[in-house]
Amino acid sequence: MKFHEDVIFKSHGRRAGESILRIMNLEGKVVQVHETEFSVIEPKMYKPDFVLEVTDKIYIIEFQSTYVDIHDKKRFRFYTALIDHIKNKSNKDIEVHVLSTVEKEKTKYYSISDEAVFPIYVHSLKSFDGDEIINMINDKITHNIILTDDELMLLSLVPFMTNSTNVEQSILRTTYLISNIHDLDYEIAQFIKGIELILADKFVKSDSIKKTVVNLLGGNMKIVEDYAQRIANDKVEESMKQTVLNMFENGCSVKNIVNLTGYNLDFVKKVLSK
């Protein structure tokens, strides 16, 4: 599931990521969403929930249902070191922002030395009324009113808000509502489904609830898997097209391109005709 989340977030994170930043009162235009799964010390995988690069910095965004303790602080610091080493080509500042279900708005610190103190910014959405958000979405659905990106993003984050249910039940309730919204913009639909799948994976202890969430949002993940496969196929086809064009521009005939690449003749002709 992690791979498919990365595919979805990388593909649509610019648009949806900016909605998340607005909700968290963070500024910036998203220029890139980075893949977040790193295999450093086998077999352990290291995976921040989101890595959003904006114009002047990189945000690591983590979902948390427990208080940030020393182990979390070390883990977050490790994430920044990994991303700085692997992804940070522009030497931008990297910030860790935690969206918490239990803590109030605050800044915590991890002291590496007297001169090196690493801040961790904890955000709370408890000022939002989750029940009110649910009712507002239901009302708009009833009256066939189109939902904005920010409203849909708020819906996906209802489990972090003040509401009448616990985290597990809130995730389940939010999932039911998402699955019943018709004619959703495909990109945003996939993104908010990805968020709910992350929340279910991290915060839901009940196997039956987790299975229900997965089935409602992905039909046993088939929708998400098909989408990920289509994205991968598109990338392969685009690479093949570029190969054909490069070879043709460098003087290769159609016959030689087919012979050297093994590509279908009709495919080569179609690429060159455009």
Side-chain angles (χ1 to χ4, degrees), residues 42-107:
E42 291 294 349
K44 189 170 180 58
M45 302 301 294
Y46 296 90
K47 182 176 171 51
D49 291 326
F50 288 103
V51 180
L52 301 175
E53 181 175 348
V54 298
T55 308
D56 60 346
K57 66 183 66 175
I58 296 175
Y59 292 120
I60 298 173
I61 298 177
E62 280 286 300
F63 297 138
Q64 189 95 352
S65 65
T66 56
Y67 285 85
V68 174
D69 61 18
I70 186 62
H71 301 292
D72 295 315
K73 292 178 180 180
K74 289 180 177 179
R75 176 166 56 89
F76 299 154
R77 181 67 186 93
F78 185 56
Y79 288 166
T80 64
L82 274 176
I83 290 164
D84 191 44
H85 175 67
I86 298 172
K87 302 290 184 183
N88 194 5
K89 308 301 181 186
S90 303
N91 295 317
K92 296 179 179 180
D93 290 339
I94 302 175
E95 295 181 0
V96 172
H97 292 262
V98 177
L99 190 54
S100 174
T101 64
V102 293
E103 296 200 64
K104 295 181 180 179
E105 202 95 1
K106 64 183 70 175
T107 302

Side-chain angles (χ1 to χ4, degrees), residues 9-226:
F9 295 150
K10 283 188 70 177
S11 301
H12 306 308
R14 292 189 187 187
R15 173 182 165 188
E18 288 176 11
S19 287
I20 290 178
L21 294 183
R22 284 193 293 271
I23 290 167
M24 296 176 69
N25 291 317
L26 298 175
E27 296 181 353
K29 181 176 178 59
V30 176
V31 296
Q32 188 171 358
V33 180
H34 291 286
E35 184 176 339
T36 60
E37 191 166 278
F38 307 106
S39 179
V40 180
I41 306 171
E42 291 294 349
K44 189 170 180 58
M45 302 301 294
Y46 296 90
K47 182 176 171 51
D49 291 326
F50 288 103
V51 180
L52 301 175
E53 181 175 348
V54 298
T55 308
D56 60 346
K57 66 183 66 175
I58 296 175
Y59 292 120
I60 298 173
I61 298 177
E62 280 286 300
F63 297 138
Q64 189 95 352
S65 65
T66 56
Y67 285 85
V68 174
D69 61 18
I70 186 62
H71 301 292
D72 295 315
K73 292 178 180 180
K74 289 180 177 179
R75 176 166 56 89
F76 299 154
R77 181 67 186 93
F78 185 56
Y79 288 166
T80 64
L82 274 176
I83 290 164
D84 191 44
H85 175 67
I86 298 172
K87 302 290 184 183
N88 194 5
K89 308 301 181 186
S90 303
N91 295 317
K92 296 179 179 180
D93 290 339
I94 302 175
E95 295 181 0
V96 172
H97 292 262
V98 177
L99 190 54
S100 174
T101 64
V102 293
E103 296 200 64
K104 295 181 180 179
E105 202 95 1
K106 64 183 70 175
T107 302
K108 294 192 169 185
Y109 299 92
Y110 175 50
S111 297
I112 303 166
S113 67
D114 290 339
E115 297 181 353
V117 179
F118 172 63
I120 299 162
Y121 304 98
V122 179
H123 300 259
S124 171
L125 295 183
K126 293 302 180 183
S127 60
F128 289 87
D129 187 325
D131 295 328
E132 190 174 281
I133 299 291
I134 293 285
N135 291 336
M136 178 270 291
I137 299 289
N138 267 320
D139 186 63
K140 286 201 167 189
I141 292 171
T142 301
H143 293 90
N144 295 315
I145 300 173
I146 296 174
L147 295 160
T148 67
D149 289 359
D150 285 9
E151 287 170 340
L152 289 167
M153 213 54 57
L154 276 172
L155 173 60
S156 72
L157 298 175
V158 161
F160 292 95
M161 301 174 187
T162 299
N163 64 80
S164 57
T165 59
N166 61 32
V167 174
E168 287 196 347
Q169 290 299 321
S170 184
I171 291 171
L172 183 59
R173 181 173 65 159
T174 302
T175 297
Y176 273 121
L177 188 50
I178 290 172
S179 67
N180 282 301
I181 300 175
H182 302 296
D183 300 323
L184 265 178
D185 176 274
Y186 187 77
E187 295 180 5
I188 294 298
Q190 294 305 302
F191 197 91
I192 63 175
K193 287 178 182 181
I195 289 178
E196 236 49 45
L197 289 168
I198 285 180
L199 299 188
D201 189 50
K202 294 188 73 167
F203 303 151
V204 173
K205 306 299 182 186
S206 165
D207 288 338
S208 63
I209 292 178
K210 188 176 293 188
K211 184 176 180 180
T212 299
V213 169
V214 171
N215 285 343
L216 283 170
L217 294 180
N220 289 316
M221 293 307 293
K222 187 177 189 310
I223 293 173
V224 180
E225 287 171 1
D226 288 348

